[in-house]
Amino acid sequence: MRFDVAAYKLRTPQSVQEALAWMAAEPGALRPLAGGTDLMVLLAAGKLPGGQFVNLWPLRELRTIEVTSDSVTLGALTTYSDVQAHPVLQQEFPMLVEAARQTGGWAIQNRGTLGGNIGNASPAADSPPALLCYDAELELRSAQGSRWLPYHGFHTGYRQTLLRPDEIIARLRLPRRRGQRLHCYRKVGPRQAQAISKVCFAGCADLEDGRLVSVRIALGGVAPTVVRCPETEHILAAATSPAALDEAAARASLSRQMAPIDDIRSTARYRRRVAENLLGQFVAVLRLHPGWATP
Amino acid sequence: MSDGSGQQIDLHFVVNGQAVTVRCHPMARLLDVLREELHLTGTKEGCGEGECGACAVVMDGELVNSCLVPAAQAAGVQLRTVEGLAAGGRLAPLQEAFLHCNGAQCGICTPGMLMAAFCLLQHNPHPSEEAVRVALAGNLCRCTGYAKIVAAVARAAQEGGDAL
Ligand SMILES: Cc1cc2nc3c(=O)[nH]c(=O)nc-3n(C[C@H](O)[C@H](O)[C@H](O)COP(=O)(O)OP(=O)(O)OC[C@H]3O[C@@H](n4cnc5c(N)ncnc54)[C@H](O)[C@@H]3O)c2cc1C
Ligand code: FES
Ligand code: FES
């Protein structure tokens, strides 16, 4: 066995408040443990540094999905199975549902959480591109209170985030939008189940009165963090008709916003090409959309 | 598991209908608690990293990989392991179907396959072939080529009944 459990301490709080009080008392000493689908893998591989963990999994208050007329708010412990089962998410946030469906296998989907996916801060994670496109906001909570931040900007560098050592991710909020919205999510990996992405693409576009009013594009696996691609979004959003969608300019701009690397899962060249091709598919979906105003 | 030094808890849960208490480290893997402490060695370790499903068990009605569950998260749960399928010395119909269809060869994946299939049939007694394949996608088999396993699950579903 490559690990020694005696190197760890795992404390189970009775409430979120108690967890936060422990974290405030020893800032940086306690790390959250949710579904364990990232941390327990590291443990078994002998790669999890020893220390204290706080067991969030039993805290039911972090596993709620609340729907209001303006937003859907998901507790950090919302699992991939919870996401797939929720009718409002199926209807209005299909890219998040698709990301959940394509994450791991069934047993992973029953235990892996959105908070863990964000907290793990992998640049190749599959929900973040969808969350970025949907303008998600995060509630970070500490013993001092809570703060809401846009998810965009939360990842500041490779595995770096704005989370303070005394904070947990408590909830995520997705603003609802009525009206026409087009969604396009694609994950490219070595096989369908259980595989980490080489490249993951999420794109959505809002139409009003037959015109594009906004486009959002986010990618995983092509830079040190998941990224939004504002330059490409502007190029596509400027189109006033399907024929005016400038795919060549969009592809060229996408290339400038990526910084892919060679690693065990793929090469930089492959990732760049695949990301551009996925953008091409998104442009095709946009072009063929029946919602455009007739000239 | 290590020599058992460090933090220890008294973990209570129900496994295959029987209440148990185990003294263990809260970060010990549920897989090791089942195999080493409770001697329920039907649950297998394949990869130890969540990829293969050989360690799959049903926890509070949901399929989980026991190699990724820290013991403390099994506090108070209802667990079903492969030992809990057969009853009174008789194989469950799902196990009979695996036998009949040759759904097992070397057998290392079989406990996990059975638990994933059992859990699926509990959620969805009449799954499509596609649903069977999706439910079993996290369980790897290096022997059978999967077709016979899928056929076994379909057969068990067809024969149906409550006692899967
Ligand atoms: C076989 C397998 C397949 C996988 N496939 C995919 C895949 O296809 N796509 C994908 O994106 N991921 C995949 N993963 C990775 C993993 O399942 C996800 O990242 C999952 O969402 C992690 O959630 P968790 O609750 O299990 O996290 P944990 O392992 O409990 O925690 C992960 C990290 O997040 C931190 N954390 C957890 N919760 C919080 C919180 N509320 N606040 C602050 N920090 C927190 C922890 O401290 C830790 O650093 C896979 C893993 C396995 C084992
Ligand atoms: S041993 Fe647990 S998934 Fe392989
Ligand atoms: S029967 Fe040998 S791995 Fe499945």
Side-chain angles (χ1 to χ4, degrees), chain B residues 102-110 113 140-146 149:
Chain B
N102 289 320
Q105 286 181 31
C106 81
I108 187 86
C109 72
T110 311
M113 287 289 180
L140 301 186
C141 176
R142 297 293 79 166
C143 301
T144 62
Y146 301 101
I149 293 175

Side-chain angles (χ1 to χ4, degrees), chain A residues 48-132:
Chain A
L48 185 66
Q52 293 189 62
F53 290 82
V54 52
N55 183 12
L56 299 184
W57 183 257
L59 302 175
R60 297 289 96 177
E61 48 190 305
L62 294 179
R63 199 171 165 184
T64 54
I65 300 182
E66 289 161 76
V67 181
T68 67
S69 56
D70 301 331
S71 64
V72 179
T73 306
L74 305 148
L77 291 181
T78 301
T79 65
Y80 296 110
S81 295
D82 297 338
V83 167
Q84 291 172 77
H86 200 278
V88 177
L89 297 177
Q90 290 165 3
Q91 269 289 310
E92 297 177 33
F93 302 97
M95 296 196 293
L96 186 61
V97 173
E98 194 52 35
R101 211 174 61 76
Q102 294 193 31
T103 295
W106 192 18
I108 298 295
Q109 292 168 13
N110 286 335
R111 296 269 304 165
T113 67
L114 290 179
N117 205 217
I118 295 169
N120 190 53
S122 160
D126 291 320
S127 339
L131 294 171
L132 285 174

Side-chain angles (χ1 to χ4, degrees), chain A residues 227-261:
Chain A
V227 285
R228 271 276 296 272
C229 305
E231 213 186 309
T232 315
E233 294 172 0
H234 287 134
I235 290 169
L236 294 180
T240 51
S241 69
L245 286 165
D246 190 344
E247 183 173 337
R251 279 179 178 253
S253 76
L254 196 74
S255 204
R256 287 193 291 277
Q257 294 160 93
M258 290 188 260
I261 55 165

Side-chain angles (χ1 to χ4, degrees), chain B residues 44-55 65 67:
Chain B
K44 302 299 179 213
E45 173 161 14
C47 64
E49 52 186 59
E51 297 274 354
C52 75
C55 66
N65 289 335
C67 70

Side-chain angles (χ1 to χ4, degrees), chain A residues 212-233:
Chain A
L212 274 181
V213 289
S214 86
V215 174
R216 286 182 176 66
I217 293 168
L219 287 167
V222 300
T225 66
V226 284
V227 285
R228 271 276 296 272
C229 305
E231 213 186 309
T232 315
E233 294 172 0

